[in-house]
């Protein structure tokens, strides 16, 4: 487990996650960070408790027939949360392994160019989440964002115009951020990245390839 996490989730993200309001792709990045980070796990626990007490103190309302069944089936279908789960060895956090069907050896990578590889995970269509493999010293092409991009480092580290991000760190980018993430020289970097809108690439080649790569 990384013990020097510097970049954390915002309270907005943790609250939305606790309330079940995030698209599945973002929820997975939040769950993965929370499984690696004691600090955010504690804050999420506080929001969960708060949410529960709000429900308890609300005055009772007449409920439809079937709403209990609907709620129970929603709970049954919710993705498992790794709260307090014992850390298992491997690179991928438990919530990500559930999607991949194993650790790194089970990931089906597709080349994106310049040695960078990706694997898109299957989630609801509201947002997209992918694993990214950036070889040591390589760069993801310079790009901006139409929406929100959440990037969680799982192995190695990268630096961009904003800061350096190492294992466990999360970078939150939006319309105002243009960046070129470059992996550290020492180790290949593996990230989990969720986006709710296509990226804006500066170079012509990435722009041409974009529709095929679903970036
Ligand atoms: Zn954190
Ligand atoms: Zn980006």
């Amino acid at each position: 487990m990384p013990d020097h996490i510097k970049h954390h989730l915002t309270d907005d993200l943790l609250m939305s996650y606790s309330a079940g309001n995030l698209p599945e792709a973002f929820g997975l990045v939040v769950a993965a960070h929370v499984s690696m980070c004691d600090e955010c796990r504690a804050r999420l626990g506080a929001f969960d408790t708060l949410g529960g007490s709000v429900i308890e103190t609300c005055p009772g309302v007449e409920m439809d027939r079937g709403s209990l069944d609907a709620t129970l089936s929603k709970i049954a279908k919710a993705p498992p949360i790794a709260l307090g789960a014992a850390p298992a060895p491997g690179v991928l956090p438990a919530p990500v392994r559930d999607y991949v069907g194993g650790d790194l050896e089970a990931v089906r990578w597709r080349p994106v160019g310049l040695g960078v590889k990706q694997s898109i995970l299957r989630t609801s269509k509201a947002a997209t989440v992918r694993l990214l493999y950036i070889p040591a010293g390589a760069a993801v092409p310079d790009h901006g964002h139409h929406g929100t991009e959440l990037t969680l480092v799982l192995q190695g580290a990268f630096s961009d115009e904003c800061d350096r991000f190492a294992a466990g760190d999360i970078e939150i980018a939006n319309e105002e951020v243009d960046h070129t993430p470059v992996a550290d020289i020492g180790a290949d970097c593996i990230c989990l990245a969720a986006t709710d809108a296509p990226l804006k690439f500066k170079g012509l080649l990435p722009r041409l390839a974009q529709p095929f790569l679903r970036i």
Side-chain angles (χ1 to χ4, degrees):
M1 284 291 111
D3 50 4
H4 299 297
I5 297 177
K6 200 169 118 192
H7 300 277
H8 295 274
L9 292 161
T10 61
D11 283 345
D12 277 356
L13 278 167
L14 285 168
M15 258 187 275
S16 305
Y17 178 76
S18 173
N21 288 337
L22 287 181
E24 188 182 358
F26 286 107
L28 176 58
V29 179
V30 170
H33 177 84
V34 162
S35 78
M36 300 166 89
C37 177
D38 293 341
E39 194 181 313
C40 288
R41 188 158 52 238
R43 275 156 66 215
L44 177 62
F47 289 128
D48 286 346
T49 309
L50 203 67
S53 73
V54 168
I55 291 170
E56 274 163 29
T57 53
C58 279
V61 286
E62 196 88 25
M63 288 180 81
D64 286 347
R65 259 166 188 281
S67 57
L68 176 63
D69 287 347
T71 307
L72 289 177
S73 87
K74 257 191 194 169
I75 292 170
K77 277 187 235 153
I81 303 173
L83 287 188
V91 172
L92 302 180
V96 182
R97 279 204 302 269
D98 290 343
Y99 278 79
V100 169
D103 202 42
L104 277 188
E105 77 289 337
V107 177
R108 290 209 298 268
W109 295 108
R110 292 189 56 190
V112 182
L114 300 172
V116 178
K117 296 183 286 185
Q118 71 170 5
S119 177
I120 296 174
L121 306 182
R122 191 186 287 260
T123 59
S124 68
K125 291 204 161 48
T128 309
V129 63
R130 73 198 69 229
L131 285 162
L132 272 175
Y133 183 100
I134 314 166
V140 173
D142 179 18
H143 64 272
H145 312 88
H146 289 286
T148 302
E149 179 188 61
L150 286 186
T151 307
L152 170 67
V153 181
L154 302 176
Q155 175 190 292
F158 71 82
S159 299
D160 65 10
E161 290 78 348
C162 302
D163 206 342
R164 179 173 180 272
F165 298 85
D169 281 333
I170 198 146
E171 178 172 35
I172 302 169
N174 57 25
E175 286 89 346
E176 282 129 51
V177 176
D178 274 11
H179 63 167
T180 311
V182 180
D184 277 17
I185 305 276
D188 296 344
C189 181
I190 295 171
C191 299
L192 180 71
T195 48
D196 59 1
L199 303 181
K200 288 184 278 190
F201 284 102
K202 303 284 185 291
L204 177 63
L205 270 178
R207 269 205 324 268
L208 290 176
Q210 201 171 0
F212 304 102
L213 301 173
R214 289 173 56 204
I215 285 183

